[in-house]
Amino acid sequence: MTEENPLFTELYRLDAASLKRLLKIWNIQKPGRDKKSQIQQLIDTMSDEFYVRGILEKLSPVQVGIYTAILSTKDRVMTLGEIARKFTLQPASAEMEMGVLKRYFLVYQRKNRERLTNTLDRYYAYRESSDHVRVETNDKGQKFRQSLVKVLRSRKDLPAEWKKAANALNTKAGIQEQLKKLVDELGDLEQEIVLRAYNQGGILEISPAREFIEEERGKWIDIVRKMDAAGLLLDDYYVDERFVRMLVMPIEVFEYLTEFPLILKPKKGIKRSQEKVIGNDLDFFINIKKQIVYITRKGLNLAKSGKIKQTDLRETENRLLRPDIALFLEKSQIYQIELLLPVMRLLDIVRTKRDDVVLRNDFDAVLQSDPLKLMKQVMAEVRKSRERVTRYEEVFESVYVPFFQPAVFDETVKLIGEMGRCLYTTVMAIMIRDHVVLDKDFRIQNFPDRLNEYRKELTSALFFLQLFGLIRAHYPDRWIEISSLGEHFFKHKPLKEDDEKGGIIINPDLSIIAIPEKLSLHGLYLLKAFCEVKSFENVYNFQLTRESFQEGILLKAKKEEFLDFLKKTSRNDLPQNLSYSVEEWTNNFPLVTITDECVVLQTEDPNHMDLLLGQIGAKKVVLQQISPTTILIDPDRIYEVVEQVERLNLIVKLVR
């Protein structure tokens, strides 16, 4: 290297402190001991595209514009005056921006000696670094659609990872076989980086990747270089106001991980959870009925903040069924009542009255409705919920998991149906790639916000699919598939209607073991209505008690239908004490009715009451007759009654 080289000349002029600072800027971890070796290190580093990218990341939009403008000229040179005019800057401001580029050693300055102005000072791009700079855009998302085969064949030499398997690039099967070897050989941290990029639709900004690797005490330079060399994650960049540097997953790698998902191994000391398959069936819709019964029996008083009290949160959780909502671990701690009340408000069967949540309208019809029909009614209301303009009280808003957006929900269902059994993260990755990463309006500036917003929509769609029993989850890895209930709802496939003999085993203590594969959804509904669910580990363990049976009656489930179901499906004869207990619990039903906000109508003369009942008795105005001169009437029909009283020439005395 001679002194005629501008880079060598400028580096040689630096003192020891300036050299040390420059070595740090260019991320040289182990500098040489003397000045000559340090200069050689800097020249080699500045000729390495990997390190050049690290400097380009740091440039501001104005500096990017200036630098790319210099590179676009024939000799890679511009005067200060040309720069100031092109970017509408004052000469002093332009000089300040050029000072930054000089400190990074991307450009060098040759001052004008002939005039007293600095606007004719020329700024040249160093050839060592500028030879490796590509001024490319990503207007059509082409950077995110790169082919692994084309990228590898465009390199001077095939990377070591592919040299032995050069023929593998000729077939899809060969590519997938080699990718399997490469992915399997990755360390835990490297696999996690690959998975993070995949889950974001195949891209990962270099800054968060670097931060994560350093937090995990990894060597980010080694990992990024290794990923790029193997073609798993390409270290690439483009110009969008700034130099945007990203790890980009080639199409073939994304497709491979979609077909053969990467599942991380449990960390040391963490035992792998037991494998199980869980479907919620109609549990959520049975819980709507149970919540109605809870409010009629216990009431629901809110805290002064307008939120549900802790005592009610805990007590309802103990009384309600517990549908599985662990697909998203962060959502698994939500109380059922917090999910039920917003849906019940959509059905218009609850409202707030001072500090209480009270039932309204024809909630009794919801109790009497078939759970399957109730599910369809709920789905219809939830689909329309995004069109609602007015806000409900906070207790009725779906705060923790917003109701799904129908378009996202429908596409999620369609994708799961096409894929069959798949990881829920795979579904999210595919949809993020299609609707965020490859969107024609993609901009890196709003990518984090857009990604978070769309993830929330996908989370809502998958969460309610699971909550409503429309998908089944396979734990611990969280594979999902459309359930039989989902197949019925989305594709109108018939549900299992027959309950098989031997589907349940009834013990003398009235505990019941139920095998779900042998029972229909309606059969399971009867068990869940009349019995207490003790546990579920592939089979159900129920307990029939006085309280659970009487709650089944309040849920408007039919006792005769339940007993017929038990006789039909029990593997053994019904215990003798079962019939006796059911008969006793039915006859001894200690129901006390307390009516809130009832309107009392009284007459002085029983004859006047008879006259009045002749006019209003058939109009569903009278709730109950207490005595010959006293009745309870519907609070919403007061003025209608007043009108009838006046027609009979009776005198009205309205007490409020």
Side-chain angles (χ1 to χ4, degrees):
M1 187 67 63
T2 67
E3 289 189 343
E4 294 176 1
N5 181 293
L7 179 57
F8 182 86
T9 302
E10 296 299 325
L11 288 173
Y12 195 78
R13 289 176 181 171
L14 298 178
D15 58 25
S18 299
L19 265 178
K20 185 177 180 181
R21 186 165 55 249
L22 189 60
L23 288 162
K24 187 174 182 180
I25 288 173
W26 279 83
N27 201 25
I28 297 174
Q29 304 294 327
K30 297 179 180 179
R33 293 183 178 180
D34 54 39
K35 184 173 184 177
K36 185 176 179 181
S37 61
Q38 290 176 356
I39 289 173
Q40 189 59 51
Q41 276 182 309
L42 281 165
I43 292 173
D44 292 341
T45 301
M46 292 174 182
S47 303
D48 188 329
E49 186 177 359
F50 179 87
Y51 289 98
V52 173
R53 291 170 186 163
I55 297 299
L56 297 179
E57 284 180 68
K58 301 177 182 180
L59 303 184
S60 70
V62 174
Q63 292 156 9
V64 169
I66 293 172
Y67 187 55
T68 54
I70 293 173
L71 296 185
S72 65
T73 63
K74 183 178 179 181
D75 297 320
R76 302 183 195 176
V77 58
M78 288 181 74
T79 66
L80 185 64
E82 290 171 335
I83 293 168
R85 287 192 296 274
K86 185 175 180 67
F87 296 95
T88 322
L89 297 172
Q90 293 294 325
S93 299
E95 191 170 26
M96 184 174 66
E97 300 293 351
M98 296 311 299
V100 176
L101 295 177
K102 282 175 62 181
R103 279 200 300 276
Y104 288 152
F105 266 68
L106 294 175
V107 300
Y108 62 95
Q109 179 185 13
R110 289 294 178 258
K111 293 186 177 181
N112 172 41
R113 299 296 182 185
E114 298 176 3
R115 299 185 183 182
L116 298 177
T117 177
N118 63 353
T119 56
L120 293 179
D121 289 355
R122 297 187 302 278
Y123 289 89
Y124 295 82
Y126 286 112
R127 292 280 174 177
E128 285 79 0
S129 53
S130 62
D131 282 345
H132 299 288
V133 178
R134 292 172 280 113
V135 184
E136 299 174 346
T137 61
N138 189 38
D139 296 336
K140 298 180 180 179
Q142 64 274 17
K143 286 287 182 181
F144 305 148
R145 293 186 175 93
Q146 298 186 64
S147 166
L148 174 65
V149 176
K150 289 182 179 179
V151 169
L152 292 179
R153 286 178 174 168
S154 68
R155 295 176 178 176
K156 292 180 180 179
D157 296 311
L158 273 178
E161 293 85 350
W162 287 90
K163 276 185 179 178
K164 294 180 181 178
N167 292 331
L169 293 173
N170 297 326
T171 64
K172 181 180 178 180
I175 292 172
Q176 289 189 340
E177 184 180 348
Q178 182 61 15
L179 285 175
K180 183 180 187 307
K181 291 179 182 177
L182 292 173
V183 171
D184 290 346
E185 290 170 359
L186 294 176
D188 293 346
L189 182 55
E190 293 164 342
Q191 285 191 348
E192 193 157 350
I193 287 293
V194 169
L195 199 55
R196 284 188 172 219
Y198 177 79
N199 289 340
Q200 289 193 175
I203 62 174
L204 184 62
E205 289 183 81
I206 196 71
S207 295
R210 180 166 51 226
E211 290 170 8
F212 171 71
I213 293 170
E214 288 177 345
E215 283 175 6
E216 298 294 319
R217 299 183 180 180
K219 297 180 179 179
W220 78 270
I221 293 177
D222 295 344
I223 290 176
V224 171
R225 280 182 175 270
K226 178 180 177 179
M227 294 293 179
D228 181 68
L232 295 174
L233 291 174
L234 306 177
D235 181 12
D236 206 349
Y237 65 94
Y238 62 92
V239 179
D240 182 4
E241 294 185 6
R242 307 179 70 114
F243 277 101
V244 180
R245 187 180 180 190
M246 309 194 82
L247 296 177
V248 180
M249 185 172 286
I251 296 171
E252 294 89 340
V253 180
F254 190 88
E255 290 175 349
Y256 170 77
L257 292 177
T258 297
E259 191 173 348
F260 305 100
L262 173 59
I263 299 173
L264 299 177
K265 300 173 185 175
K267 293 185 177 180
K268 289 183 179 179
I270 299 178
K271 189 178 179 181
R272 181 177 168 82
S273 303
Q274 181 183 355
E275 292 187 5
K276 56 185 177 180
V277 181
I278 300 180
N280 287 332
D281 300 329
L282 294 166
D283 289 5
F284 181 79
F285 309 99
I286 299 172
N287 271 348
I288 292 177
K289 296 186 173 195
K290 285 179 173 283
Q291 186 62 53
I292 291 173
V293 170
Y294 179 86
I295 294 174
T296 60
R297 295 185 68 182
K298 297 279 188 178
L300 189 57
N301 184 251
L302 301 176
K304 290 182 179 179
S305 62
K307 296 182 179 180
I308 305 167
K309 292 180 178 178
Q310 284 294 323
T311 51
D312 285 313
L313 289 173
R314 289 192 294 268
E315 190 166 354
T316 53
E317 200 71 6
N318 291 331
R319 287 174 174 266
L320 297 170
L321 300 175
R322 296 187 181 181
D324 176 48
I325 52 173
L327 193 61
F328 298 92
L329 283 174
E330 67 275 15
K331 307 293 184 187
S332 61
Q333 300 304 313
I334 300 174
Y335 289 98
Q336 279 297 304
I337 190 174
E338 295 171 320
L339 300 169
L340 289 164
L341 288 181
V343 171
M344 293 170 72
R345 185 65 183 87
L346 290 180
L347 295 172
D348 202 21
I349 57 172
V350 287
R351 65 181 176 90
T352 55
K353 177 189 171 187
R354 294 186 288 274
D355 292 334
D356 294 319
V357 172
V358 296
L359 297 168
R360 64 180 291 179
N361 295 334
D362 198 4
F363 64 86
D364 208 50
V366 174
L367 274 178
Q368 293 176 10
S369 65
D370 178 76
L372 199 56
K373 291 181 180 178
L374 179 58
M375 181 194 77
K376 294 174 182 177
Q377 184 183 353
V378 168
M379 285 294 293
E381 293 297 333
V382 172
R383 290 184 76 88
K384 294 186 292 185
S385 64
R386 286 295 186 97
E387 302 170 10
R388 178 166 51 88
V389 178
T390 56
R391 280 184 61 84
Y392 296 141
E393 296 89 338
E394 186 180 352
V395 72
F396 296 136
E397 289 291 345
S398 189
V399 177
Y400 300 104
V401 188
F403 290 126
F404 57 78
Q405 190 180 87
V408 176
F409 182 86
D410 292 343
E411 191 168 347
T412 304
V413 171
K414 182 181 177 183
L415 183 58
I416 299 172
E418 290 172 352
M419 295 184 69
R421 185 172 178 270
C422 57
L423 281 180
Y424 83 97
T425 49
T426 300
V427 174
M428 295 182 75
I430 292 172
M431 294 186 66
I432 287 169
R433 182 173 180 82
D434 290 345
H435 295 279
V436 180
V437 176
L438 299 182
D439 185 80
K440 63 179 181 179
D441 297 322
F442 177 91
R443 295 297 301 275
I444 192 62
Q445 291 83 351
N446 59 20
F447 172 61
D449 292 338
R450 181 78 184 94
L451 177 65
N452 287 335
E453 288 171 10
Y454 197 70
R455 267 187 176 156
K456 286 178 183 177
E457 296 293 352
L458 288 172
T459 299
S460 292
L462 287 165
F463 181 87
F464 282 102
L465 277 171
Q466 183 185 30
L467 180 66
F468 292 170
L470 301 172
I471 59 174
R472 295 195 306 166
H474 298 247
Y475 294 97
D477 297 326
R478 291 174 170 76
W479 296 83
I480 58 174
E481 62 185 342
I482 302 293
S483 65
S484 57
L485 180 60
E487 294 284 353
H488 172 74
F489 182 78
F490 297 120
K491 299 180 181 179
H492 309 291
K493 290 187 177 180
L495 287 167
K496 176 182 172 64
E497 294 182 354
D498 296 329
D499 297 300
E500 299 176 25
K501 184 73 174 176
I504 65 171
I505 301 170
I506 307 176
N507 297 314
D509 62 353
L510 302 187
S511 62
I512 301 173
I513 299 171
I515 304 168
E517 291 79 12
K518 294 186 175 184
L519 301 176
S520 66
L521 277 179
H522 187 70
L524 284 171
Y525 159 65
L526 289 172
L527 284 169
K528 291 172 181 177
F530 282 103
C531 304
E532 180 185 349
V533 180
K534 286 297 186 180
S535 64
F536 174 72
E537 292 291 341
N538 298 322
V539 297
Y540 282 101
N541 285 294
F542 293 100
Q543 182 66 53
L544 179 61
T545 64
R546 175 194 296 269
E547 186 176 355
S548 69
F549 178 80
Q550 291 178 342
E551 182 169 273
I553 300 296
L554 293 173
L555 290 170
K556 306 294 183 182
K558 297 176 181 177
K559 176 192 75 172
E560 295 77 15
E561 195 175 358
F562 176 60
L563 292 174
D564 288 343
F565 164 78
L566 295 181
K567 291 174 185 175
K568 178 182 176 182
T569 57
S570 178
R571 183 181 297 179
N572 48 351
D573 294 334
L574 297 185
Q576 293 181 356
N577 60 335
L578 177 62
S579 299
Y580 171 79
S581 297
V582 168
E583 192 66 28
E584 181 193 354
W585 297 337
T586 304
N587 295 331
N588 185 19
F589 197 73
L591 184 64
V592 177
T593 302
I594 302 172
T595 304
D596 184 20
E597 262 194 2
C598 59
V599 176
V600 179
L601 188 151
Q602 292 177 306
T603 61
E604 297 293 331
D605 190 329
N607 294 325
H608 293 161
M609 178 62 72
D610 292 339
L611 282 173
L612 187 56
L613 288 174
Q615 296 297 316
I616 65 174
K619 295 183 179 180
K620 296 185 178 179
V621 175
V622 180
L623 301 179
Q624 188 176 353
Q625 184 164 2
I626 306 297
S627 72
T629 58
T630 307
I631 60 173
L632 300 182
I633 64 171
D634 187 339
D636 297 328
R637 311 285 289 273
I638 290 176
Y639 291 103
E640 186 179 336
V641 174
V642 168
E643 186 179 342
Q644 295 294 334
V645 170
E646 289 176 341
R647 284 182 181 178
L648 294 170
N649 293 320
L650 301 175
I651 299 172
V652 175
K653 180 183 179 182
L654 189 59
V655 180
R656 282 186 158 174

